Structures are given as structure tokens and as C-alpha cells.
Amino acid sequence: MYPLTPDMLTSLLKTPLFSQLRHEDVAQILERARPVKIAADAYFFRQAAPARRLYILLDGQIKVTQLTPDGQQVVMRMINPLELFGCVAVLSGGEYPASAQATKDCQAICLDTDEIHRLMHIFPHLAINAFQMMVQRTHELQDRYRELATECVERRLAHTLLRLMKQNSHTEGDLIVLDTPLARQDLAEMIGSTLYTVSRILSQWESQNLIVTGREKISLVTPKQLKRIAEAQIFSADLKKAPI
Amino acid sequence: MYPLTPDMLTSLLKTPLFSQLRHEDVAQILERARPVKIAADAYFFRQAAPARRLYILLDGQIKVTQLTPDGQQVVMRMINPLELFGCVAVLSGGEYPASAQATKDCQAICLDTDEIHRLMHIFPHLAINAFQMMVQRTHELQDRYRELATECVERRLAHTLLRLMKQNSHTEGDLIVLDTPLARQDLAEMIGSTLYTVSRILSQWESQNLIVTGREKISLVTPKQLKRIAEAQIFSADLKKAPI
DNA sequence: CGGGAGTTTGAGCTATCTCAACGGGGGTGG
DNA sequence: CCACCCCCGTTGAGATAGCTCAAACTCCCG
């Protein structure tokens, strides 16, 4: 594992996946991992390919998407550094249920199915941590399912921007800039809507100074207001009527 | 673990959760489990309660639901015998993100958080199996998310009935009877729709002899036709126009 | 034989999708 | 370095699936 910088290593040690493991154990695990580098827009793997490798993202960002039979895309999840992806690889003989596409240049390490099983036997904590991570992820996915089932597009979009902010953003002066290349189409595919509706809502928000948008770029100005929209305490239409 | 009948025990041994474990190991694990009995409509646990126990359903059926802040319900999942529920309990200190309500009289066994962790250390296979089960479940949830995001109500309903058929049904003559008490409202909460729309679609299907409905009861007549609707090769409206 | 829970159905409404047309900016190739 | 082109975004107008609300209907059960 030459390509691991000391920085990455210390980061990896703090990953939930490796919590409770000793440094030398993690080192031993990482010895069995292979590095993978991929340029922006390229794929780590594609839907329906045999799932043989589990990945840990070190740097960059991944978009996990599913294609419907008739060609529509749905974005299932954004993967940020130190997160696991390609977990289906632990089920021997399966296929990836989704594609993993880099939204930026990416570095990752990967482990083969057999290797994972072997390591999980040696280090039960690895399996326990992985289990816990999946429970957490299911929990998150359930929340989004509930949103999709019960909330209107505007609220879903607000939730999504806030979520992206938490996961990956930095501040520039008063602005909170999302560190994700986000076309209207991408947002639409995340919330189960269309790029037109997303565009309209974002335009409206921008005219109310809740956000600032650019080409594939979004910055939040007043996350508090967005949160109120997300929580249904207010609608952006209401802001017009009574601009306090 | 007195209440375990020999039948249940042999079933438990075949559970994915216990695969690869030796009989005596499973016995040792079950020694630490406590039996729980609950009548139809009662709750195993409620959303937001501290999550301290993980359950394995032995008999009956559970409906896992989430309540939105404004009181709408969403059915996240039906749990059938030999399935795990309350998995959040493995994350120490968390709360149940959903409620688990019995749709029939239920028997289950439960394990405390500490106990699970202890056992997973002793039997790494337990953790690995649990991990795999969660991966599988995430996979299923992703499929439903994609459906909800891209498909119309009619197709989602068709998918749901077919899924319920696979999970839990028996045949009576030509009829495939779903073994789940299903009010229109329940179905609506599963697919993110309203009881009115569900009722209309079911009525239409019934008039086309695809299904037979009763009070909280549904039977399938021609699952093939339903599958065609689910796969978008056809719409029930098309059946009217050209009844071949 | 009520009573109530579950279901059906109609009618109107609206959030959101669809389709179409236009606008703009940035990067790339000449 | 400039111009063109392409991708991304905006906006309007019309269509519609599905929601809401209201009212009546039908079992099942005590």
C-alpha cells in the first residue's frame, strides 16, 4: 500500500470501519488492499457487473446511481472520503445493483470478496463495524424514503441541500459553498423530480436570497431559512406574501 | 429458552443469520435470548424509544412504520418469521427510528445490545451474516426508493402486491391469497399514496379479474398480468381499450 | 340491529410533469 | 486570441396524475 500518505493513514484509523481496531491490525488489513485511481466522470463499477470488490474512498467524490429499465437515472447516494462503497461485494456471487461514478478525480482502495471474509474472521470488530455502518445507512435511506413518500418537491430539495452541506461544504465569507458539482439534473435525480421543477425552485430561492447558484454549483446563504422550509414550518411562497 | 419448539429451532438453524454456525454455537447464542410474546396490533417498540434490544421474529408478522412530524405514517417494511428487526439496537445509545407493530399475534426472541456485541466477538460469522443481511436489505430499500422516485402509483402498487405474494402467501384453488391483513390505508402507506387512489386502482383491477378483494384481504388471480403492469409493459387502462 | 371501521365513488383542484423555445457562458480548436 | 458550439440553465404554457374533500355504502361484530 505505497500510495497511502501518512495523512490518509491517520484518517483511515479514525474511520468508523476501523474503530476499536489496533493500529497494527489496521496496517495488516490495509496490506491486503489495492489502490485504485480514477478520473472525474469515470466509473469504479457499473450496475449489473459482478460484484467482487469493496471500496473505501480516500479522496474525491462518488455518485452512486441506479438506472431504471427505461433509462431514467436515480441518484442513490453521494460517497465522500472515508466512506465504504460497493458493499454488495460481500455477498458472494452477486452483481452491483448500482453504478459508482466519480464526480471528481478519485483515489480509493479496494478489497476482494474473499479477502474481506478472511479479514472479518480474524478481526470480528471489522464485521461489527461494517454491520453498524450498514444499519446507519439503512436508517438514512429510510428517512429519505419517508421524505419521498410524504413531502413535496420543495421540501425534499431543501432537505437534500442541507444534507449535502453537512456532508461536504466549506465557507467563503458568509457563503456556505457545497463541494459537489451539482447540475439541476443531478438534484432532480436525487429527489425524484425533474430538472425543470428543480430549476424553478432554485430560481425562486435565489430571488429570495436563500441561496446563490452558478453553473453546477450552489451556495447556501441562509441555511436556517432552508431548514424552516424543510421542516414545513414555512414555504418559500410564504416568504413572498409576508417578507418579514 | 423454553418456549422454542423443536420446529422453531430447526428453522432458526437455517436462518441466514446463523448460517455457517455450528448447532452448538447457535444453542449457545439462543441461551442468551429472551422470548417475547405480543398480541395483534400491539407494539414491540415505538419510534424514538431507546433502542436496546434486537429481535428475531419466530411467528406472526410485524409492520415497521415511521411517523412523520405531522402525523402521517409510512410503512417501511413488513417483517416475516425468521427475520431480524430492531437492528438499530446494535448502535449503542441510539433510538428506534421506527415503530414495530404486530399485524398478527407474534412470538419473537430478543437480545440486548451488550449481549449481541459479546456474541459477535465470539462468533464472527454472526457479525458477518448480520452485515450481509443489512447489505441485502439496503439493496431492497434502494429498489423501492427507485420505484417511488420514478414509477406511477399503479406500477408501485403492482410491485408491492407481487412482493407481498413472494414473502407471504398461500394458494386456495386458483387464488393466491396474501397472508397479510391489508387495509387500503396500509397499502397507501407502503407506496406513498392515498387510500382513495389505492381503492380506485384495486377496483379497476378487480373488474378486470386480475385480483379479488375483501375487507383487509387481497388475493391475486393473474400475477402474470400484474407483473406486466409492474414492468410497464402494459397499463391496466390498456386492458380496457383492447381486452384481448 | 345498530355502530363503526373499512371501502367506494364522484367532482374539483393543484402540484408537478412535459414539451418547446430561448439564453448564456466557458472552453476549445482553429 | 477569438468565435463558435455545446452544455447547462431558464421560462412559459398546457396537460395530467393523483390528491382532497365529501358523501354514501357495506360488511362484520357485538
Side-chain angles (χ1 to χ4, degrees):
Chain A
M1 282 303 306
Y2 295 87
L4 275 189
T5 65
D7 266 20
M8 284 175 179
L9 214 141
T10 52
S11 302
L12 272 172
L13 287 170
K14 289 181 297 186
T15 308
L17 181 63
F18 293 134
S19 93
Q20 310 266 353
L21 287 169
R22 294 170 312 168
H23 290 205
E24 56 258 45
D25 296 343
V26 176
Q28 193 181 332
I29 291 166
L30 292 177
E31 253 172 43
R32 319 299 313 197
R34 285 198 317 277
V36 188
K37 245 188 176 176
I38 269 188
D41 296 330
Y43 287 82
F44 275 89
F45 52 80
R46 286 177 190 264
Q47 189 169 343
R52 285 197 260 273
R53 286 200 276 274
L54 173 130
Y55 296 81
I56 302 171
L57 187 62
L58 298 178
D59 191 48
Q61 192 185 45
I62 310 280
K63 186 168 71 171
V64 179
T65 62
Q66 262 194 3
L67 217 58
T68 66
D70 57 306
Q72 281 183 82
Q73 259 203 1
V74 180
V75 176
M76 296 309 314
R77 182 179 169 73
M78 304 301 295
I79 304 281
N80 289 298
L82 300 184
E83 290 191 83
L84 237 51
F85 64 104
C87 289
V88 242
V90 293
L91 309 176
S92 34
E95 295 177 352
Y96 290 115
S99 304
Q101 187 180 19
T103 64
K104 313 174 184 173
D105 292 345
C106 285
Q107 275 189 284
I109 52 177
C110 72
L111 284 162
D112 288 329
T113 301
D114 307 339
E115 206 61 66
I116 302 159
H117 284 120
R118 209 179 56 78
L119 289 167
M120 284 186 168
H121 264 103
I122 305 175
F123 308 110
H125 257 306
L126 196 60
I128 295 175
N129 293 338
F131 176 41
Q132 292 188 343
M133 289 174 73
M134 286 313 291
V135 169
Q136 191 64 46
R137 197 175 291 189
T138 301
H139 184 154
E140 288 164 21
L141 193 55
Q142 280 185 356
D143 283 346
R144 285 177 46 208
Y145 187 89
R146 193 202 54 227
E147 276 174 27
L148 190 53
T150 62
E151 295 181 0
C152 65
V153 173
E154 183 174 21
R155 248 182 257 168
R156 267 148 47 208
L157 189 54
H159 275 298
T160 301
L161 291 190
L162 291 169
R163 211 173 274 132
L164 288 168
M165 177 185 80
K166 262 190 206 159
Q167 288 172 3
N168 212 335
S169 64
H170 68 274
T171 58
E172 283 179 15
D174 285 350
L175 253 56
I176 303 166
V177 183
L178 302 187
D179 294 330
T180 310
L182 276 180
R184 304 291 179 268
Q185 178 71 35
D186 293 319
L187 282 169
E189 287 172 0
M190 286 187 205
I191 63 175
S193 176
T194 63
L195 78 115
Y196 308 106
T197 303
V198 168
S199 174
R200 275 181 244 272
I201 294 174
L202 291 183
S203 297
Q204 200 181 343
W205 287 351
E206 185 154 28
S207 74
Q208 292 162 196
N209 295 313
L210 305 186
I211 60 172
V212 177
T213 69
R215 190 192 179 82
E216 300 199 341
K217 182 182 163 184
I218 296 179
S219 308
L220 312 192
V221 178
T222 50
K224 262 195 179 175
Q225 205 68 274
L226 270 190
K227 196 167 277 179
R228 292 186 61 197
I229 292 174
E231 311 287 346
Q233 293 171 21
I234 193 180
F235 272 90
S236 70
D238 300 335
L239 285 178
K240 271 188 186 171
K241 293 171 195 162
I244 307 165
Chain B
M1 280 302 306
Y2 294 88
L4 275 189
T5 64
D7 265 19
M8 285 175 178
L9 214 141
T10 53
S11 302
L12 272 172
L13 286 170
K14 289 181 297 185
T15 309
L17 180 64
F18 294 134
S19 94
Q20 310 268 350
L21 287 168
R22 295 171 310 172
H23 290 204
E24 56 258 47
D25 296 343
V26 175
Q28 195 181 331
I29 291 166
L30 292 178
E31 254 171 43
R32 319 299 311 199
R34 285 199 317 275
V36 189
K37 246 188 177 177
I38 268 188
D41 296 328
Y43 286 83
F44 275 90
F45 52 78
R46 287 178 189 263
Q47 187 168 344
R52 286 197 258 273
R53 286 199 276 274
L54 174 131
Y55 296 81
I56 302 171
L57 186 63
L58 297 179
D59 192 47
Q61 193 185 44
I62 309 281
K63 185 168 72 170
V64 179
T65 62
Q66 261 192 4
L67 217 57
T68 65
D70 56 306
Q72 281 184 82
Q73 259 204 0
V74 180
V75 176
M76 296 308 314
R77 181 179 170 73
M78 304 300 295
I79 305 281
N80 289 298
L82 299 184
E83 289 191 85
L84 238 52
F85 64 104
C87 288
V88 243
V90 293
L91 308 176
S92 34
E95 296 177 352
Y96 290 115
S99 304
Q101 186 181 18
T103 64
K104 313 174 185 172
D105 291 345
C106 285
Q107 275 188 284
I109 52 176
C110 71
L111 284 161
D112 288 330
T113 301
D114 307 340
E115 206 60 67
I116 302 159
H117 283 121
R118 208 179 56 79
L119 289 167
M120 284 187 169
H121 264 103
I122 305 175
F123 309 110
H125 257 305
L126 196 60
I128 295 175
N129 292 338
F131 176 41
Q132 292 188 342
M133 288 175 73
M134 285 315 290
V135 169
Q136 190 65 45
R137 196 174 292 189
T138 302
H139 184 152
E140 288 164 19
L141 193 53
Q142 280 186 355
D143 283 346
R144 284 177 47 208
Y145 188 89
R146 193 202 55 229
E147 275 173 29
L148 190 52
T150 63
E151 296 181 0
C152 65
V153 173
E154 181 173 24
R155 249 181 256 166
R156 269 149 44 207
L157 188 55
H159 275 297
T160 301
L161 291 190
L162 291 169
R163 212 171 275 132
L164 288 167
M165 177 186 78
K166 262 189 208 159
Q167 288 172 4
N168 214 332
S169 63
H170 68 274
T171 58
E172 283 178 14
D174 286 350
L175 253 56
I176 303 165
V177 182
L178 303 187
D179 293 330
T180 310
L182 276 179
R184 305 292 178 265
Q185 178 72 33
D186 293 320
L187 282 169
E189 287 172 0
M190 286 187 204
I191 63 175
S193 177
T194 63
L195 80 115
Y196 308 106
T197 303
V198 169
S199 173
R200 275 181 244 271
I201 294 174
L202 291 183
S203 296
Q204 199 180 344
W205 286 350
E206 186 154 29
S207 74
Q208 292 161 194
N209 294 314
L210 304 187
I211 61 172
V212 177
T213 69
R215 191 191 179 83
E216 300 198 342
K217 183 181 162 183
I218 296 178
S219 308
L220 312 191
V221 178
T222 50
K224 263 196 179 176
Q225 205 69 274
L226 269 191
K227 197 168 277 180
R228 291 186 62 198
I229 292 174
E231 313 286 346
Q233 293 170 23
I234 195 179
F235 272 90
S236 70
D238 300 336
L239 285 177
K240 271 188 184 171
K241 291 169 195 165
I244 307 167

